């Protein structure tokens, strides 16, 4: 009885502070244009436009055709930088974003001493952001690598620079040279139903590749409470010492941008609302400010925020000093009557067992899928990046 009462009391305590949240579905902004724009002077800019849709849409809901949208950046002298659409992003995305279009804008050579704004034209309306000055970027002083027993850390030291506001954004891209798990050394010939396997010279033609990664994340940094004008050895990212980033040579490109206090607060608020997790104590979505407006109809709502900044970047290189050997992909050991099936599906024999190693139900060769012996099948490319310098 005491145990039952204790369980009941625990259940009541767990549920006593839970209150239902009922969204105002009748006021859902169906068909409203939503914009996520990153205008980066000195780098490639990107703009994503979407339309919002309620989970329970009304009968008269209207959703603009995003295939006819025009996007461009213009400066105060009248120079324009057109957006180029990515065809892969058009079409229906999910029940929240039925239209989802992505544009890239070549602003790498745009002058930083001018004001800019973003313009968007849909079939029935025209939108524009507020004019924005471009603050001088921070200074990336140093990128260094440290390691513990399990992971490598990438750390950055950044100074606020001439336009220090107390806030900047960090992002990064990675490129590394890696190798496949195995080197093919057997020649396979098929004659009728018979498969002949002979040892030959090792084939290194698909052994080494390059791979790149861009996590498309930005990290807002507040250094207003620091004694220095910036941060020192700020941990940017980590990866396992067994990761293929450690095979031969790894390069990280760190990008930094100065932003205002208002932009920092917007991004942190957005981060809280979208990344707090799925739990009872996550904050309810708050109203986020916007620097966009509809010029053709001031009463029309538009959601989103346009980030304007100037980008500075710095590269750092790491050799294989922190590598810990990882176990290669496991091989399969089919019997001889399965050789043709394995070969026709892209598998190759990659190792030969000694007679005493062969067990019942096993064949003499270990076969591996294409990603085991072909680095391009493992996500790599054999085209050397333009910036790659083996001696740097």
């Amino acid at each position: 009885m005491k145990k039952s009462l204790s369980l009941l009391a625990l259940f009541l305590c767990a549920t006593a502070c839970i209150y239902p949240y009922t969204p105002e579905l009748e006021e859902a902004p169906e068909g409203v244009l939503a914009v996520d724009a990153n205008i980066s002077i000195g780098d490639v800019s990107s703009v994503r436009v979407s339309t919002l849709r309620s989970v329970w849409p009304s009968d008269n809901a209207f959703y603009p055709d995003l295939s006819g949208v025009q996007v461009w950046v213009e400066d105060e002298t009248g120079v324009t930088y057109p957006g180029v659409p990515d065809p892969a992003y058009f079409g229906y995305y999910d029940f929240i974003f039925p239209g989802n279009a992505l544009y890239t804008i070549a602003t790498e050579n745009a002058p930083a001493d001018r004001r800019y704004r973003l313009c968007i034209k849909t079939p029935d309306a025209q939108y524009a952001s507020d004019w924005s000055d471009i603050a001088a970027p921070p200074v990336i002083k140093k990128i260094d690598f440290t390691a513990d027993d399990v992971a490598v850390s990438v750390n950055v030291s950044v100074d606020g620079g001439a336009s220090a506001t107390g806030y900047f954004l960090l992002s990064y891209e990675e490129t590394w040279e890696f190798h496949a798990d195995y080197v093919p050394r057997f020649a396979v010939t098929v004659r009728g139903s018979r498969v002949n396997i002979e040892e030959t010279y090792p084939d290194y033609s698909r052994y080494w590749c390059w791979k790149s990664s861009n996590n498309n994340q930005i990290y807002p940094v507040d250094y207003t409470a620091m004694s220095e004008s910036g941060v020192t050895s700020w941990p940017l990212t980590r990866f396992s010492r067994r990761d293929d980033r450690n095979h031969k040579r790894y390069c990280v490109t760190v990008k930094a941008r100065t932003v205002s206090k208002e932009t920092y607060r917007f991004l942190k608020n957005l981060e809280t609302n979208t990344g707090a997790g799925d739990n009872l104590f996550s904050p309810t979505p708050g109203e986020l400010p916007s620097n966009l407006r509809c010029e053709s109809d001031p009463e029309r709502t538009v959601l989103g925020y346009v980030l304007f900044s100037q980008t500075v970047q710095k590269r750092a290189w790491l050799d294989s000093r922190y590598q810990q050997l990882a176990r290669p992909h496991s091989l399969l050991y089919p019997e001889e009557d399965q050789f043709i099936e394995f070969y026709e599906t892209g598998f190759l024999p990659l190792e030969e067992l000694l007679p005493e190693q062969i067990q019942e139900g096993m064949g003499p060769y270990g076969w591996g899928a294409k990603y085991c012996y072909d680095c391009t099948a493992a996500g790599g490319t054999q085209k050397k990046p333009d910036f790659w310098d083996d001696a740097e």
Side-chain angles (χ1 to χ4, degrees), residues 158-235:
V158 183
D159 183 83
S163 296
T165 61
Y167 309 92
F168 53 70
L169 306 180
L170 294 177
S171 59
Y172 65 92
E173 299 173 4
E174 302 169 289
T175 303
W176 61 98
E177 192 172 3
F178 75 103
H179 60 73
D181 282 351
Y182 297 90
V183 179
R185 58 184 179 90
F186 297 96
V188 180
T189 56
V190 179
R191 296 179 180 177
S193 60
R194 181 175 178 82
V195 176
N196 184 50
I197 300 175
E198 295 182 349
E199 187 166 2
T200 183
Y201 295 106
D203 180 8
Y204 284 92
S205 63
R206 291 288 187 271
Y207 188 65
W208 285 103
C209 276
W210 287 270
K211 188 185 294 185
S212 295
S213 174
N214 183 352
N215 69 351
N216 295 311
Q217 296 290 317
I218 55 176
Y219 303 92
V221 178
D222 174 4
Y223 60 91
T224 55
M226 302 289 184
S227 58
E228 55 185 327
S229 178
V231 295
T232 300
S233 295
W234 195 83

Coordinates of all heavy atoms in Angstrom, one line a residue, residues 158-235:
V158 N 40.3 34.9 -32.3 CA 39.8 35.9 -33.1 C 39.7 37.2 -32.4 O 39.3 37.3 -31.2 CB 38.3 35.6 -33.6 CG1 37.8 36.6 -34.6 CG2 38.3 34.2 -34.3
D159 N 40.2 38.3 -33.0 CA 40.1 39.7 -32.5 C 39.0 40.4 -33.2 O 38.7 40.2 -34.4 CB 41.4 40.4 -32.7 CG 41.4 41.8 -32.1 OD1 41.6 41.9 -30.9 OD2 41.1 42.7 -32.8
G160 N 38.3 41.3 -32.4 CA 37.2 42.0 -33.0 C 37.5 42.9 -34.2 O 36.6 43.2 -35.0
G161 N 38.7 43.4 -34.3 CA 39.1 44.2 -35.4 C 38.6 45.6 -35.3 O 38.2 46.1 -34.2
A162 N 38.7 46.3 -36.4 CA 38.4 47.8 -36.5 C 37.0 48.1 -36.1 O 36.7 49.2 -35.6 CB 38.8 48.3 -37.8
S163 N 36.1 47.2 -36.5 CA 34.6 47.5 -36.2 C 34.1 46.6 -35.1 O 33.0 46.2 -35.1 CB 33.8 47.2 -37.5 OG 34.2 48.1 -38.5
A164 N 34.9 46.4 -34.1 CA 34.5 45.5 -33.0 C 33.2 46.0 -32.3 O 33.1 47.1 -31.9 CB 35.6 45.5 -31.9
T165 N 32.2 45.1 -32.3 CA 30.9 45.4 -31.7 C 30.7 44.5 -30.5 O 29.7 44.8 -29.8 CB 29.8 45.0 -32.7 OG1 29.9 43.6 -33.1 CG2 30.0 45.8 -34.0
G166 N 31.6 43.6 -30.2 CA 31.4 42.6 -29.1 C 30.7 41.3 -29.6 O 30.5 40.4 -28.8
Y167 N 30.4 41.3 -30.9 CA 29.7 40.1 -31.5 C 30.3 39.8 -32.9 O 30.5 40.7 -33.7 CB 28.2 40.3 -31.6 CG 27.6 40.9 -30.3 CD1 27.5 42.2 -30.1 CD2 27.2 40.0 -29.3 CE1 27.0 42.7 -28.9 CE2 26.6 40.5 -28.1 CZ 26.5 41.9 -27.9 OH 26.0 42.4 -26.8
F168 N 30.5 38.5 -33.1 CA 30.8 38.0 -34.5 C 30.3 36.6 -34.7 O 29.8 35.9 -33.7 CB 32.3 38.1 -34.8 CG 33.2 37.4 -33.8 CD1 33.3 36.1 -33.7 CD2 34.1 38.2 -33.0 CE1 34.1 35.4 -32.9 CE2 35.0 37.6 -32.1 CZ 35.0 36.2 -32.1
L169 N 30.3 36.2 -35.9 CA 29.8 34.9 -36.3 C 31.0 34.1 -36.8 O 31.9 34.6 -37.5 CB 28.7 35.0 -37.4 CG 27.5 35.8 -37.1 CD1 26.6 35.8 -38.3 CD2 26.8 35.4 -35.9
L170 N 31.0 32.8 -36.5 CA 32.0 31.9 -37.0 C 31.4 30.8 -37.8 O 30.3 30.3 -37.5 CB 32.8 31.3 -35.9 CG 33.7 32.2 -35.1 CD1 34.4 31.5 -33.9 CD2 34.8 32.9 -35.9
S171 N 32.0 30.3 -38.9 CA 31.6 29.2 -39.6 C 32.8 28.5 -40.2 O 33.9 29.1 -40.1 CB 30.6 29.5 -40.7 OG 31.2 30.5 -41.6
Y172 N 32.7 27.3 -40.7 CA 33.9 26.6 -41.2 C 33.5 25.6 -42.3 O 32.3 25.2 -42.4 CB 34.6 25.9 -40.1 CG 33.9 24.8 -39.5 CD1 34.0 23.5 -39.9 CD2 33.0 25.0 -38.4 CE1 33.3 22.4 -39.4 CE2 32.3 24.0 -37.8 CZ 32.5 22.7 -38.3 OH 31.8 21.6 -37.7
E173 N 34.5 25.3 -43.2 CA 34.4 24.3 -44.2 C 35.6 23.4 -44.0 O 36.7 23.8 -43.6 CB 34.3 24.9 -45.6 CG 33.1 25.8 -45.8 CD 33.2 26.5 -47.2 OE1 34.1 26.2 -47.9 OE2 32.3 27.3 -47.5
E174 N 35.4 22.1 -44.4 CA 36.5 21.1 -44.2 C 36.8 20.4 -45.5 O 35.9 20.1 -46.3 CB 36.1 20.1 -43.1 CG 35.8 20.6 -41.8 CD 35.2 19.6 -40.9 OE1 34.0 19.2 -41.2 OE2 35.9 19.1 -40.0
T175 N 38.1 20.1 -45.7 CA 38.5 19.3 -46.9 C 39.6 18.4 -46.4 O 40.5 18.9 -45.6 CB 39.0 20.1 -48.1 OG1 37.9 21.0 -48.5 CG2 39.3 19.3 -49.2
W176 N 39.6 17.1 -46.8 CA 40.7 16.3 -46.3 C 41.0 15.2 -47.3 O 40.1 14.9 -48.2 CB 40.4 15.7 -44.9 CG 39.2 14.8 -44.9 CD1 39.1 13.4 -45.0 CD2 37.8 15.2 -44.7 NE1 37.8 13.0 -44.8 CE2 37.0 14.1 -44.7 CE3 37.2 16.5 -44.6 CZ2 35.6 14.1 -44.5 CZ3 35.8 16.5 -44.4 CH2 35.0 15.4 -44.4
E177 N 42.2 14.7 -47.3 CA 42.6 13.6 -48.2 C 42.6 12.3 -47.4 O 43.1 12.2 -46.3 CB 44.0 13.9 -48.7 CG 44.5 13.0 -49.8 CD 45.8 13.4 -50.5 OE1 46.4 14.3 -49.9 OE2 46.2 12.7 -51.4
F178 N 41.9 11.3 -48.0 CA 41.7 10.0 -47.2 C 41.9 8.9 -48.2 O 42.0 9.0 -49.4 CB 40.4 10.0 -46.6 CG 39.2 9.7 -47.5 CD1 38.6 8.5 -47.6 CD2 38.8 10.8 -48.4 CE1 37.6 8.3 -48.5 CE2 37.7 10.5 -49.3 CZ 37.1 9.3 -49.4
H179 N 41.9 7.7 -47.6 CA 42.1 6.5 -48.5 C 41.0 5.5 -48.2 O 40.4 5.5 -47.2 CB 43.5 5.9 -48.3 CG 43.8 5.4 -46.9 ND1 43.2 4.3 -46.3 CD2 44.6 5.9 -45.9 CE1 43.6 4.2 -45.1 NE2 44.4 5.1 -44.8
A180 N 40.8 4.6 -49.2 CA 39.9 3.5 -49.0 C 40.4 2.5 -48.0 O 41.6 2.5 -47.7 CB 39.6 2.8 -50.4
D181 N 39.6 1.5 -47.6 CA 40.1 0.6 -46.6 C 41.0 -0.5 -47.2 O 41.9 -1.0 -46.5 CB 38.8 -0.1 -45.9 CG 38.2 0.8 -44.9 OD1 38.7 1.8 -44.6 OD2 37.1 0.4 -44.4
Y182 N 40.8 -0.9 -48.4 CA 41.5 -2.0 -49.0 C 42.0 -1.6 -50.4 O 41.5 -0.7 -51.1 CB 40.6 -3.2 -49.2 CG 40.1 -3.8 -47.9 CD1 38.9 -3.3 -47.3 CD2 40.8 -4.8 -47.2 CE1 38.4 -3.8 -46.1 CE2 40.3 -5.3 -46.0 CZ 39.1 -4.8 -45.5 OH 38.7 -5.3 -44.3
V183 N 43.1 -2.3 -50.8 CA 43.7 -2.1 -52.1 C 43.4 -3.4 -52.9 O 43.9 -4.5 -52.5 CB 45.2 -1.9 -52.1 CG1 45.8 -1.7 -53.5 CG2 45.5 -0.6 -51.3
P184 N 42.6 -3.4 -54.0 CA 42.4 -4.6 -54.8 C 43.7 -5.2 -55.3 O 44.5 -4.4 -55.9 CB 41.5 -4.1 -55.9 CG 40.9 -2.8 -55.4 CD 41.9 -2.2 -54.5
R185 N 43.8 -6.5 -55.2 CA 45.0 -7.1 -55.7 C 44.7 -8.5 -56.4 O 45.6 -9.3 -56.6 CB 46.1 -7.3 -54.6 CG 45.6 -8.1 -53.4 CD 46.6 -8.2 -52.3 NE 46.2 -8.9 -51.2 CZ 46.4 -10.2 -51.0 NH1 47.0 -10.9 -51.9 NH2 46.0 -10.8 -49.9
F186 N 43.5 -8.7 -56.8 CA 43.0 -9.9 -57.4 C 42.3 -9.6 -58.7 O 41.5 -8.6 -58.8 CB 42.1 -10.7 -56.6 CG 42.7 -11.2 -55.3 CD1 42.5 -10.5 -54.1 CD2 43.5 -12.4 -55.3 CE1 43.1 -10.9 -52.9 CE2 44.1 -12.8 -54.1 CZ 43.9 -12.1 -52.9
A187 N 42.7 -10.3 -59.8 CA 42.0 -10.1 -61.1 C 40.9 -11.2 -61.2 O 41.1 -12.4 -60.9 CB 42.9 -10.3 -62.2
V188 N 39.7 -10.8 -61.5 CA 38.5 -11.6 -61.6 C 38.1 -11.8 -63.1 O 37.9 -10.8 -63.8 CB 37.3 -11.1 -60.8 CG1 36.2 -12.0 -60.9 CG2 37.8 -10.9 -59.3
T189 N 38.0 -13.0 -63.5 CA 37.5 -13.3 -64.9 C 36.3 -14.3 -64.7 O 36.4 -15.2 -63.9 CB 38.6 -13.9 -65.8 OG1 39.2 -15.0 -65.2 CG2 39.6 -12.8 -66.0
V190 N 35.3 -14.1 -65.5 CA 34.1 -15.0 -65.5 C 34.0 -15.7 -66.8 O 34.0 -15.1 -67.9 CB 32.8 -14.2 -65.2 CG1 31.6 -15.1 -65.2 CG2 33.0 -13.4 -63.9
R191 N 33.9 -17.0 -66.8 CA 33.7 -17.9 -68.0 C 32.5 -18.8 -67.7 O 32.6 -19.8 -67.0 CB 34.9 -18.7 -68.3 CG 36.1 -17.8 -68.7 CD 37.4 -18.6 -69.0 NE 38.5 -17.8 -69.4 CZ 39.7 -18.3 -69.6 NH1 39.9 -19.6 -69.5 NH2 40.7 -17.5 -70.0
G192 N 31.4 -18.4 -68.3 CA 30.2 -19.1 -68.1 C 29.7 -19.0 -66.6 O 29.5 -17.9 -66.1
S193 N 29.7 -20.1 -65.9 CA 29.3 -20.1 -64.5 C 30.5 -20.2 -63.6 O 30.4 -20.3 -62.4 CB 28.3 -21.3 -64.2 OG 29.0 -22.5 -64.5
R194 N 31.7 -20.2 -64.2 CA 32.9 -20.3 -63.4 C 33.6 -19.0 -63.2 O 33.7 -18.2 -64.2 CB 33.9 -21.3 -64.1 CG 35.1 -21.5 -63.3 CD 36.0 -22.6 -63.9 NE 37.3 -22.8 -63.2 CZ 37.4 -23.5 -62.1 NH1 36.3 -24.1 -61.6 NH2 38.5 -23.6 -61.5
V195 N 34.0 -18.7 -62.0 CA 34.8 -17.4 -61.7 C 36.2 -17.8 -61.3 O 36.4 -18.6 -60.5 CB 34.1 -16.7 -60.5 CG1 34.9 -15.5 -60.1 CG2 32.7 -16.3 -60.8
N196 N 37.1 -17.2 -62.1 CA 38.5 -17.4 -61.8 C 39.1 -16.2 -61.1 O 38.9 -15.1 -61.6 CB 39.2 -17.7 -63.1 CG 40.7 -18.1 -62.9 OD1 41.0 -18.9 -62.1 ND2 41.6 -17.4 -63.6
I197 N 39.9 -16.4 -60.1 CA 40.5 -15.3 -59.3 C 42.0 -15.6 -59.2 O 42.4 -16.6 -58.8 CB 39.9 -15.3 -57.8 CG1 38.4 -15.0 -57.9 CG2 40.6 -14.2 -57.0 CD1 37.7 -15.1 -56.5
E198 N 42.7 -14.6 -59.7 CA 44.2 -14.7 -59.7 C 44.8 -13.4 -59.0 O 44.3 -12.3 -59.2 CB 44.8 -14.8 -61.1 CG 44.4 -16.1 -61.8 CD 45.0 -16.2 -63.2 OE1 45.5 -15.1 -63.6 OE2 44.9 -17.3 -63.8
E199 N 45.8 -13.6 -58.2 CA 46.5 -12.5 -57.6 C 47.3 -11.7 -58.6 O 48.0 -12.3 -59.5 CB 47.4 -12.9 -56.4 CG 48.0 -11.8 -55.6 CD 48.6 -12.2 -54.3 OE1 48.5 -13.4 -54.0 OE2 49.0 -11.3 -53.6
T200 N 47.3 -10.4 -58.6 CA 48.0 -9.6 -59.5 C 48.6 -8.4 -58.8 O 48.6 -8.4 -57.5 CB 47.1 -9.1 -60.6 OG1 47.8 -8.3 -61.6 CG2 45.9 -8.3 -60.1
Y201 N 49.0 -7.4 -59.5 CA 49.6 -6.2 -58.8 C 48.5 -5.4 -58.1 O 47.4 -5.3 -58.5 CB 50.3 -5.3 -59.8 CG 51.5 -5.9 -60.5 CD1 51.4 -6.4 -61.8 CD2 52.7 -6.1 -59.8 CE1 52.4 -7.0 -62.5 CE2 53.8 -6.7 -60.5 CZ 53.6 -7.1 -61.8 OH 54.7 -7.7 -62.4
P202 N 48.9 -4.8 -56.9 CA 47.9 -4.0 -56.2 C 47.4 -2.8 -57.1 O 48.2 -2.2 -57.8 CB 48.7 -3.5 -55.0 CG 49.8 -4.5 -54.8 CD 50.1 -4.9 -56.2
D203 N 46.1 -2.5 -57.0 CA 45.6 -1.4 -57.8 C 45.2 -0.3 -56.9 O 44.3 -0.3 -56.2 CB 44.3 -1.9 -58.5 CG 43.6 -0.9 -59.4 OD1 44.3 0.2 -59.6 OD2 42.5 -1.1 -59.9
Y204 N 46.1 0.8 -57.0 CA 45.9 2.0 -56.1 C 45.2 3.1 -56.9 O 45.1 4.2 -56.4 CB 47.3 2.5 -55.7 CG 48.0 1.7 -54.6 CD1 48.8 0.7 -54.9 CD2 47.7 2.0 -53.3 CE1 49.4 -0.1 -53.9 CE2 48.3 1.3 -52.3 CZ 49.2 0.2 -52.6 OH 49.8 -0.5 -51.6
S205 N 44.6 2.8 -58.0 CA 43.9 3.8 -58.8 C 42.7 4.5 -58.1 O 42.4 5.6 -58.4 CB 43.5 3.3 -60.2 OG 42.5 2.3 -60.0
R206 N 42.1 3.8 -57.2 CA 40.9 4.3 -56.5 C 41.2 4.3 -55.0 O 40.3 4.2 -54.2 CB 39.7 3.6 -56.8 CG 39.2 3.7 -58.2 CD 38.6 5.1 -58.4 NE 38.0 5.3 -59.7 CZ 38.6 5.7 -60.8 NH1 39.9 6.0 -60.8 NH2 38.0 5.8 -62.0
Y207 N 42.4 4.5 -54.6 CA 42.8 4.4 -53.2 C 42.7 5.7 -52.5 O 42.2 5.8 -51.3 CB 44.2 3.7 -53.0 CG 44.5 3.4 -51.6 CD1 43.8 2.5 -50.9 CD2 45.6 4.1 -51.0 CE1 44.2 2.1 -49.6 CE2 46.0 3.7 -49.7 CZ 45.2 2.8 -49.0 OH 45.6 2.5 -47.7
W208 N 43.2 6.8 -53.1 CA 43.3 8.1 -52.5 C 42.3 9.0 -53.1 O 42.1 9.1 -54.3 CB 44.7 8.7 -52.6 CG 45.7 8.1 -51.7 CD1 46.7 7.2 -52.0 CD2 45.9 8.3 -50.3 NE1 47.4 6.9 -51.0 CE2 46.9 7.5 -49.8 CE3 45.2 9.1 -49.4 CZ2 47.4 7.5 -48.5 CZ3 45.6 9.1 -48.0 CH2 46.7 8.3 -47.6
C209 N 41.6 9.8 -52.2 CA 40.6 10.8 -52.6 C 40.6 12.0 -51.7 O 41.3 12.0 -50.7 CB 39.2 10.2 -52.6 SG 38.7 9.2 -54.0
W210 N 39.9 13.0 -52.2 CA 39.6 14.2 -51.3 C 38.1 14.2 -51.0 O 37.3 13.8 -51.8 CB 40.0 15.5 -52.0 CG 41.5 15.7 -52.0 CD1 42.2 16.4 -51.1 CD2 42.3 15.3 -53.1 NE1 43.5 16.4 -51.5 CE2 43.6 15.8 -52.7 CE3 42.2 14.6 -54.3 CZ2 44.7 15.5 -53.6 CZ3 43.3 14.4 -55.1 CH2 44.5 14.8 -54.7
K211 N 37.8 14.7 -49.8 CA 36.4 14.8 -49.4 C 36.2 16.2 -48.8 O 37.1 16.7 -48.1 CB 36.0 13.7 -48.4 CG 34.5 13.6 -48.1 CD 34.2 12.6 -47.0 CE 34.5 11.2 -47.5 NZ 34.1 10.1 -46.5
S212 N 35.0 16.8 -49.0 CA 34.7 18.1 -48.4 C 33.4 18.1 -47.6 O 32.5 17.3 -47.9 CB 34.7 19.2 -49.5 OG 35.9 19.4 -50.1
S213 N 33.3 19.0 -46.6 CA 32.1 19.0 -45.8 C 31.9 20.5 -45.4 O 32.8 21.2 -45.0 CB 32.3 18.2 -44.6 OG 31.2 18.3 -43.7
N214 N 30.6 20.9 -45.5 CA 30.2 22.2 -45.1 C 28.9 22.0 -44.3 O 27.9 21.7 -44.8 CB 30.0 23.2 -46.2 CG 29.6 24.6 -45.8 OD1 29.3 24.8 -44.6 ND2 29.5 25.5 -46.8
N215 N 29.0 22.2 -43.0 CA 27.9 21.9 -42.1 C 26.8 23.0 -42.2 O 25.7 22.9 -41.6 CB 28.3 21.7 -40.7 CG 28.8 22.9 -40.0 OD1 29.0 24.0 -40.6 ND2 29.0 22.9 -38.7
N216 N 27.1 24.1 -42.9 CA 26.1 25.2 -43.1 C 25.6 25.8 -41.8 O 24.5 26.3 -41.7 CB 24.9 24.7 -44.0 CG 25.4 24.4 -45.4 OD1 26.0 25.1 -46.0 ND2 25.0 23.2 -45.8
Q217 N 26.4 25.7 -40.8 CA 26.0 26.3 -39.5 C 26.8 27.6 -39.2 O 28.0 27.7 -39.6 CB 26.3 25.3 -38.4 CG 25.4 24.0 -38.4 CD 24.0 24.3 -38.1 OE1 23.6 25.0 -37.2 NE2 23.1 23.7 -38.9
I218 N 26.2 28.5 -38.5 CA 26.9 29.7 -38.1 C 26.9 29.7 -36.5 O 25.9 29.3 -35.9 CB 26.3 31.0 -38.6 CG1 24.8 31.1 -38.4 CG2 26.6 31.1 -40.1 CD1 24.2 32.4 -38.8
Y219 N 27.9 30.1 -35.9 CA 28.1 30.1 -34.5 C 28.2 31.5 -34.0 O 29.3 32.2 -34.1 CB 29.3 29.3 -34.1 CG 29.2 27.9 -34.6 CD1 29.8 27.5 -35.8 CD2 28.5 26.9 -33.9 CE1 29.7 26.2 -36.3 CE2 28.4 25.6 -34.4 CZ 29.0 25.3 -35.6 OH 28.9 24.0 -36.1
P220 N 27.1 32.1 -33.4 CA 27.2 33.5 -32.8 C 28.1 33.5 -31.6 O 28.0 32.6 -30.7 CB 25.8 33.8 -32.5 CG 24.9 32.7 -33.2 CD 25.8 31.5 -33.2
V221 N 29.0 34.4 -31.5 CA 29.9 34.6 -30.4 C 29.8 35.9 -29.7 O 29.8 37.0 -30.4 CB 31.4 34.4 -30.8 CG1 32.3 34.5 -29.6 CG2 31.6 33.0 -31.4
D222 N 29.6 36.0 -28.4 CA 29.5 37.2 -27.7 C 30.7 37.3 -26.8 O 31.0 36.5 -25.9 CB 28.2 37.1 -26.8 CG 28.1 38.3 -25.8 OD1 28.9 39.2 -25.9 OD2 27.1 38.3 -25.0
Y223 N 31.5 38.3 -27.1 CA 32.8 38.5 -26.3 C 32.7 39.8 -25.5 O 33.8 40.3 -25.1 CB 34.0 38.4 -27.2 CG 34.1 39.4 -28.3 CD1 34.7 40.7 -28.1 CD2 33.5 39.2 -29.5 CE1 34.8 41.6 -29.1 CE2 33.6 40.1 -30.5 CZ 34.3 41.4 -30.3 OH 34.4 42.3 -31.3
T224 N 31.5 40.3 -25.2 CA 31.4 41.6 -24.5 C 31.9 41.5 -23.1 O 32.3 42.5 -22.5 CB 30.0 42.1 -24.5 OG1 29.1 41.1 -24.0 CG2 29.5 42.5 -25.9
A225 N 31.8 40.3 -22.5 CA 32.3 40.1 -21.1 C 33.7 39.7 -21.0 O 34.2 39.5 -19.9 CB 31.4 39.0 -20.4
M226 N 34.4 39.6 -22.1 CA 35.8 39.2 -22.1 C 36.7 40.4 -21.8 O 36.4 41.5 -22.1 CB 36.2 38.6 -23.5 CG 35.4 37.4 -23.9 SD 35.7 35.9 -23.0 CE 34.7 34.7 -23.8
S227 N 37.8 40.1 -21.2 CA 38.8 41.1 -20.9 C 39.5 41.6 -22.1 O 40.1 42.7 -22.2 CB 39.8 40.6 -19.8 OG 40.5 39.5 -20.3
E228 N 39.5 40.7 -23.2 CA 40.2 41.1 -24.4 C 39.1 41.3 -25.5 O 37.9 41.0 -25.3 CB 41.1 39.9 -24.9 CG 40.3 38.6 -25.0 CD 41.3 37.5 -25.3 OE1 42.3 37.7 -26.0 OE2 41.0 36.3 -24.8
S229 N 39.5 41.9 -26.6 CA 38.6 42.3 -27.7 C 38.5 41.1 -28.6 O 38.9 41.1 -29.8 CB 39.0 43.5 -28.5 OG 38.1 43.8 -29.5
G230 N 37.9 40.0 -28.1 CA 37.8 38.8 -28.9 C 37.8 37.5 -28.1 O 37.6 37.6 -26.9
V231 N 38.2 36.4 -28.7 CA 38.3 35.1 -28.0 C 39.6 34.4 -28.3 O 40.2 34.7 -29.4 CB 37.1 34.2 -28.4 CG1 35.8 34.8 -27.9 CG2 37.1 33.9 -29.9
T232 N 40.1 33.6 -27.4 CA 41.3 32.9 -27.6 C 41.0 31.4 -27.4 O 40.4 31.0 -26.5 CB 42.4 33.3 -26.6 OG1 42.7 34.7 -26.7 CG2 43.7 32.5 -26.7
S233 N 41.5 30.6 -28.4 CA 41.3 29.1 -28.4 C 39.9 28.7 -28.2 O 39.5 27.9 -27.4 CB 42.2 28.5 -27.3 OG 43.6 28.7 -27.7
W234 N 39.0 29.4 -29.0 CA 37.6 29.1 -28.9 C 37.3 27.7 -29.6 O 37.7 27.5 -30.8 CB 36.8 30.2 -29.6 CG 35.3 30.2 -29.3 CD1 34.7 30.7 -28.2 CD2 34.3 29.7 -30.1 NE1 33.3 30.5 -28.2 CE2 33.0 29.9 -29.4 CE3 34.2 29.0 -31.3 CZ2 31.8 29.5 -29.9 CZ3 33.0 28.6 -31.9 CH2 31.8 28.9 -31.2
P235 N 36.7 26.7 -28.9 CA 36.5 25.4 -29.6 C 35.4 25.5 -30.7 O 34.2 25.7 -30.4 CB 36.0 24.5 -28.4 CG 35.4 25.5 -27.4 CD 36.2 26.8 -27.6

